[in-house]
Amino acid sequence: MQSHENTPAQHAVDRGLRFEQLPQRHTDRYQSDIRVLLPTYDGLHTLVDAYLRPFVPDDGRVLVVGAGGGTELITLGLAHPNWTFTAVDPAANMLASARSRTEAAGVAERVRWCCGAIDATNPHLHDAATCILVLHFVAGDDERRTLLQGIASRLREGSPLILVSAVRDDGNGDLPSAVHSQALYDGAIAATGQERLAAKLRQNIEQSAAIPGDRLKQLLVDTGFSEPLQFFQTYQFVGWLTTRT
Ligand SMILES: C[S@@+](CC[C@H](N)C(=O)[O-])C[C@H]1O[C@@H](n2cnc3c(N)ncnc32)[C@H](O)[C@@H]1O
């Protein structure tokens, strides 16, 4: 059985949450680790398609922020043969993994690859955007605001954004985050039998840059999006649908 002594997310915490600095072996393990951390990971991506599809034209162009690994590109690309994608991620290793997985799925030729921050993408307007499991790696309100404004500036008015992020409670009572952390830990042990992996996954989330959900929703409104609709939650991971105002 694979050792999980240092999971990708654990290295990210140690090194300031930078996926681009992870050793290759950790990137290779991302697909299995993420499904332990978030047991509803594949269902989440199915839901993302269900919530996006009413908004996006048949030949829609979708901005995928934090596209490393490639799951959004594959799920949406297979479901919508005429959609095209802009894939943005600062981590070359995670983008390379996305590229090889999308090539195997026959989707890669519809993807424009941008290795870098949102500024690395050209200013083309898109019909939809996703930002899934990214924002809790972005520390600081200015940085979070820059990312969300960058997405807003690349969306047409009325176009949807799917945002999924870990959140934490506001510190006025530790119960909600503590309950979710314990469930995450117990769920990871039940799924893998690996106590050290479970402990590290829990630690990763507890030490992440997650902010309270209400603050995140306000940040969305402040950066040019409508009042978000929550469509998903597993443990501390919450998903919202919002639109560019
Ligand atoms: C946990 S992975 C999620 C990948 C994918 N969205 C998924 O659902 O599997 C987080 C990704 O976000 C990327 N990331 C971190 N900061 C980012 C930023 N400011 N802009 C775009 N991507 C970022 C990381 O490099 C990494 O590939």
Side-chain angles (χ1 to χ4, degrees):
M1 189 173 283
Q2 237 174 9
S3 159
H4 285 84
E5 283 194 1
N6 291 296
T7 66
Q10 176 60 31
H11 268 265
V13 168
D14 294 344
R15 298 177 182 207
L17 309 175
R18 300 179 72 84
F19 273 72
E20 55 269 43
Q21 294 176 348
L22 292 174
Q24 185 59 40
R25 66 182 183 282
H26 295 293
T27 307
D28 294 343
R29 238 170 31 211
Y30 175 77
Q31 294 303 325
S32 59
D33 283 354
I34 192 66
R35 287 169 173 82
V36 177
L37 180 68
L38 182 55
T40 54
Y41 178 76
D42 292 302
L44 162 64
H45 284 83
T46 303
L47 286 178
V48 167
D49 174 35
Y51 280 89
L52 281 185
R53 60 170 65 213
F55 291 90
V56 184
D58 183 54
D59 61 347
R61 181 200 294 249
V62 180
L63 173 64
V64 180
V65 176
T71 304
E72 297 94 319
L73 300 168
I74 293 169
T75 308
L76 298 175
L78 290 177
H80 305 279
N82 296 320
W83 287 12
T84 55
F85 302 90
T86 305
V88 191
D89 199 300
N93 51 359
M94 289 291 284
L95 265 194
S97 150
R99 191 187 282 263
S100 81
R101 290 184 73 227
T102 51
E103 277 169 3
V107 170
E109 62 191 20
R110 286 184 277 136
V111 182
R112 207 161 46 78
W113 304 95
C114 303
C115 188
I118 185 83
D119 291 347
T121 61
N122 68 30
H124 280 153
L125 288 182
H126 294 74
D127 301 296
T130 64
C131 183
I132 299 179
L133 303 175
V134 175
L135 211 65
H136 55 280
F137 294 113
V138 178
D141 266 355
D142 286 349
E143 289 75 7
R144 287 186 274 266
R145 199 178 291 273
T146 299
L147 178 59
L148 294 175
Q149 282 169 340
I151 297 171
S153 71
R154 287 162 178 80
L155 281 177
R156 299 179 203 289
E157 195 179 320
S159 294
L161 164 67
I162 294 281
L163 179 72
V164 180
S165 176
V167 298
R168 68 172 76 249
D169 60 53
D170 61 9
N172 292 327
D174 290 340
L175 190 60
S177 289
V179 169
H180 291 310
S181 282
Q182 186 65 41
L184 188 161
Y185 174 78
D186 290 336
I189 290 182
T192 67
Q194 297 182 54
E195 208 169 309
R196 290 184 69 170
L197 169 64
K200 286 183 189 297
L201 292 176
R202 175 172 64 181
Q203 185 185 39
N204 295 341
I205 297 306
E206 289 176 345
Q207 294 182 351
S208 76
I211 59 173
D214 285 348
R215 262 181 67 201
L216 211 156
K217 286 164 68 179
Q218 187 58 51
L219 209 51
L220 279 169
V221 172
D222 292 347
T223 52
F225 293 95
S226 63
E227 190 67 34
L229 168 72
Q230 183 179 329
F231 71 93
F232 171 85
Q233 175 158 13
T234 295
Y235 303 145
Q236 294 97 321
F237 299 98
V238 180
W240 293 275
L241 168 70
T242 181
T243 54
R244 174 78 172 95
T245 53

